[in-house]
Amino acid sequence: MSLTLQDIERIAWLARIEIDAREAADVHAKLTSIFTMIDALDAIDTSGIEPMSHAQDMTTPLRDDRVTESDRRADFQRVAPATEDGLYLVPRVIE
Amino acid sequence: MAVRGRSPRFEGIMTAKWEVVIGLETHAQLSTASKIFSGASTAFGAPPNAHASAVDIALPGVLPVLNRGAVERAIRFGLAVGGHVQPRSVFARKNYFYPDLPKGYQISQYEIPVVQGGRVEFVVGDAQKSVRLTRAHLEEDAGKSLHEDFSGMTGVDLNRAGTPLLEIVSEPDMRSAEEAVAYAKALHALVRWIDICDGNMQEGSFRCDANVSVRRAGDEALGTRCEIKNLNSFRFIEKAIQFEVRRQVELIDDGGTVVQETRLYDPDRDETRSMRSKEDAQDYRYFPDPDLPPLAIDSAWVARVQAWLPELPQAMRARMVERHGLLPHEAAILTAERDVATYYERTVAALGGSARLAAHWVIGELSAALNRSGVPVASAKVGPEALAGLLKRVEDKTLSGKLASTVFDAMWNGEGDADTIIAARGLKQISDTGALEKIVDDVLAAHPAIVAEVKAGKEKAFNALVGKAMAATKGKANPGEVNAILKRRLGG
């Protein structure tokens, strides 16, 4: 699979990363080499092998349904850039 | 183009010309005490961010740990709809940017959800309907953005972030707004029945997205669908779908084409509006969450949940129809809520007799009294055993239906049990044939004109005589007995 410069721009936009044309070309070259490696992996016959969803061979631990956290809002909001009436403030979002 | 009101053309839609195709995606908030991946409380109405832990606000270095209670509820649902509970399911990251989603992704399930397949059975009118489910998956809710003016900024409350949700996706099996509402109501009843969701729609505990498309009758291929987001009442589900169907049909009739898009329903204007089209649809870039290894559910756990599961509404409905002789719509009303079903079953058990009589009273007098006083059935002022006590007096003909209503009202007002009230008020029905014959004879003697009318063939006049006899006994006469005596006397 080959990537176009438009793909690079779209990926950057999806990740909300601002890149200029020079950086885009650089990233394009690097990502292309990564995809070349993936293409090599793709050549291996994996039919009959169950896809892996996690690097470790374990299942997720479960916790009992109990409330164990107390209100630490004051601590957390001490490091927030802006708060009001207990709310975190962010640049205005309009949808 | 917004079209409001009922256009003449709409009247033809539900005829043979068009077929409506609807699928619903429902978010049911699971009734756990703590969040799906953290130990913060899920209680509604706390001060902003008081229930937002380090995991919920996505501080660096935190890790999610899955709540067993949320998984347990998903298993209950899977079994209740006859779906397949996956022994191994996978959590995935759904990536998008919004301030009320602090991690920049929502933890959800994508390729392998916890429940696959299943169906929801319900009654529309008197007909049985079955809707297939595609899947049900576990995920976390996002926080809330408040767009009122905070010095030109948006306020974010993350109390809801991390609240456990079960997203239930149906196949496009519904063919009208009425069916979609009936499905939503049945699903709503079911999640409360198996105690996995409180069903509070005002607080957003149960909300639906509707996928709606239309096609010409006989077409195989589905039309292009639009998704209507965030419908949080049954009325809005119905209104939004009706509007959307009308919009799509008129668009196609006018030579246009439906564009796949997400739309919002505006209840104030009763219309749907475009929110975003397919072109700028989100690319969520799902991938398995490396923070969460696969969820394993062994067969022993499934068996324990199966053993816990109460008799389900559809099974109970079938039993009521087959063994109690109820009509399907009566059984549907009685199984709309588990508390109502329990009340009815206890009444039948205590009465030891006519289930139909019990059903009529629970659906009629009891429901009316509950509506009037605004109390839930569990705190009804006349309990099932007390109601059975009253119905015994209806069965043995001590009370007529009308007198029984009077006694019921007195019971509701706390005047005691049925027998106490009957004795205190002298309400015992007069069924003694000798006494009634005397009363009927008096009535006949007093109203020769009416008797003449009856003999001339006027049916209304006969009823007038029954009324006179009932009045003469202050309503205590057994009406069936009075009828029979009158017929004998008048040679009818």
Side-chain angles (χ1 to χ4, degrees):
Chain A
M1 136 166 215
S2 64
L3 289 168
T4 65
L5 263 178
Q6 273 95 44
D7 291 331
I8 302 297
E9 278 158 18
R10 176 159 171 77
I11 294 164
W13 181 80
L14 284 170
R16 301 297 189 274
I17 294 170
E18 191 178 5
I19 55 170
D20 58 28
R22 191 185 53 77
E23 284 172 313
D26 181 42
V27 168
H28 183 236
K30 285 173 178 159
L31 278 183
T32 299
S33 83
I34 290 170
F35 271 82
T36 307
M37 190 173 78
I38 291 171
D39 281 344
L41 292 174
D42 256 353
I44 299 163
D45 179 13
T46 57
S47 55
I49 295 172
E50 198 185 322
M52 189 177 84
S53 60
H54 200 271
Q56 279 173 290
D57 187 18
M58 60 181 287
T59 57
T60 202
L62 298 169
R63 33 169 276 275
D64 288 338
D65 179 24
R66 282 206 322 273
V67 176
T68 52
E69 297 291 325
S70 52
D71 178 7
R72 293 182 60 202
R73 186 178 82 184
D75 293 337
F76 297 150
Q77 298 206 335
R78 206 162 291 141
V79 294
T83 61
E84 191 178 313
D85 299 339
L87 297 164
Y88 293 94
L89 295 189
V90 298
R92 196 165 180 76
V93 185
I94 292 153
E95 191 172 26
Chain B
M1 180 185 63
V3 188
R4 251 179 294 157
R6 212 156 216 267
S7 68
R9 242 190 292 169
F10 180 63
E11 306 306 326
I13 290 178
M14 306 315 286
T15 66
K17 202 176 161 201
W18 294 94
E19 186 177 45
V20 179
V21 178
I22 304 160
L24 288 188
E25 293 173 19
T26 307
H27 287 93
Q29 183 182 318
L30 299 174
S31 55
T32 54
S34 65
K35 294 191 176 173
I36 184 167
F37 296 119
S38 85
S41 167
T42 55
F44 184 82
N49 292 304
H51 290 167
S53 73
V55 169
D56 307 320
I57 67 172
L59 287 187
V62 298
L63 279 175
V65 187
L66 184 57
N67 183 340
R68 189 190 310 276
V71 179
E72 170 105 9
R73 283 164 178 77
I75 300 172
R76 274 186 213 166
F77 181 80
L79 293 174
V81 297
H84 172 65
V85 178
Q86 271 290 332
R88 197 179 167 88
S89 62
V90 174
F91 284 94
R93 292 185 179 182
K94 178 179 179 178
N95 300 278
Y96 65 93
F97 289 104
Y98 206 73
D100 58 25
L101 187 78
K103 291 191 297 297
Y105 58 86
Q106 176 194 27
I107 304 178
S108 181
Q109 296 192 300
Y110 189 58
E111 285 177 323
I112 311 177
V114 63
V115 174
Q116 292 176 3
R119 52 179 66 238
V120 175
E121 319 259 352
F122 53 97
V123 176
V124 190
D126 255 337
Q128 188 74 31
K129 170 86 186 171
S130 175
V131 166
R132 292 167 300 152
L133 299 183
T134 315
R135 58 188 277 160
H137 65 252
L138 285 163
E139 64 182 26
E140 59 178 343
D141 208 346
K144 237 182 216 163
S145 298
L146 302 156
H147 300 292
E148 299 101 72
D149 201 25
F150 293 96
S151 340
M153 299 180 86
T154 291
V156 178
D157 177 5
L158 297 173
N159 278 347
R160 204 180 59 186
T163 299
L165 301 175
L166 190 66
E167 180 175 335
I168 303 153
V169 183
S170 87
E171 292 287 313
D173 282 355
M174 288 150 276
R175 293 292 174 269
S176 68
E178 186 197 9
E179 278 186 10
V181 170
Y183 162 80
K185 283 184 173 168
L187 190 60
H188 184 253
L190 181 64
V191 295
R192 284 181 304 153
W193 194 279
I194 58 174
D195 206 14
I196 66 170
C197 169
D198 69 17
N200 189 325
M201 296 176 88
Q202 283 80 41
E203 292 175 7
S205 300
F206 187 90
R207 47 195 202 260
C208 295
D209 304 335
N211 283 301
V212 180
S213 66
V214 298
R215 61 181 168 191
R216 286 181 201 276
D219 277 5
E220 281 286 317
L222 290 172
T224 305
R225 68 171 194 271
C226 289
E227 184 180 19
I228 315 167
K229 281 275 183 199
N230 263 334
L231 300 165
N232 66 352
S233 84
F234 298 124
R235 213 176 94 85
F236 291 169
I237 294 173
E238 185 171 20
K239 291 267 190 188
I241 292 173
Q242 283 171 347
F243 173 86
E244 186 57 22
V245 167
R246 200 154 67 225
R247 186 187 73 85
Q248 292 185 14
V249 165
E250 292 188 355
L251 190 62
I252 298 169
D253 264 354
D254 288 341
T257 46
V258 176
V259 181
Q260 188 179 333
E261 61 186 357
T262 304
R263 299 179 70 87
L264 271 184
Y265 177 67
D266 179 346
D268 294 331
R269 304 176 62 130
D270 188 24
E271 62 181 34
T272 63
R273 277 202 304 270
S274 180
M275 195 172 138
R276 55 175 181 258
S277 69
K278 195 187 175 189
E279 284 78 62
D280 38 66
Q282 302 270 9
D283 179 345
Y284 292 122
R285 296 152 293 143
Y286 284 96
F287 64 88
D289 190 333
D291 287 346
L292 289 157
L295 165 62
I297 298 172
D298 62 21
S299 53
W301 193 0
V302 175
R304 278 200 305 281
V305 176
Q306 182 77 64
W308 173 91
L309 219 55
E311 185 186 19
L312 296 169
Q314 66 266 30
M316 199 180 264
R317 275 201 298 275
R319 184 165 56 80
M320 286 174 177
V321 171
E322 282 161 28
R323 302 228 198 116
H324 294 180
L326 305 191
L327 297 173
H329 79 265
E330 292 170 335
I333 295 170
L334 291 173
T335 54
E337 266 182 69
R338 194 164 153 199
D339 283 348
V340 173
T342 304
Y343 186 106
Y344 161 77
E345 297 260 274
R346 280 175 57 187
T347 307
V348 172
L351 185 57
S354 171
R356 292 216 65 180
L357 181 65
H360 286 154
W361 274 77
V362 172
I363 293 168
E365 296 281 340
L366 177 78
S367 299
L370 290 171
N371 285 341
R372 274 197 304 275
S373 56
V375 296
V377 65
S379 27
K381 289 181 194 137
V382 175
E385 287 74 21
L387 178 63
L390 170 63
L391 298 184
K392 277 178 185 157
R393 296 296 156 260
V394 176
E395 275 201 317
D396 68 13
K397 300 201 162 52
T398 305
L399 295 175
S400 66
K402 191 162 178 296
L403 281 180
S405 294
T406 309
V407 175
F408 180 84
D409 289 342
M411 290 167 76
W412 194 271
N413 292 330
E415 290 178 32
D417 64 21
D419 288 340
T420 309
I421 293 164
I422 292 165
R425 294 194 175 190
L427 289 173
K428 198 166 164 10
Q429 177 169 263
I430 304 168
S431 298
D432 172 44
T433 310
L436 286 177
E437 279 176 342
K438 167 89 178 62
I439 292 159
V440 169
D441 288 342
D442 290 349
V443 167
L444 292 176
H447 302 282
I450 306 179
V451 173
E453 284 180 28
V454 174
K455 293 202 164 150
K458 285 197 183 169
E459 267 181 50
K460 269 191 182 168
F462 183 84
N463 292 336
L465 289 175
V466 175
K468 297 284 181 198
M470 293 303 292
T473 59
K474 298 194 175 70
K476 287 188 278 182
N478 178 331
E481 227 12 62
V482 169
N483 257 289
I485 296 168
L486 268 171
K487 278 193 182 141
R488 282 204 299 274
R489 287 289 193 266
L490 297 170

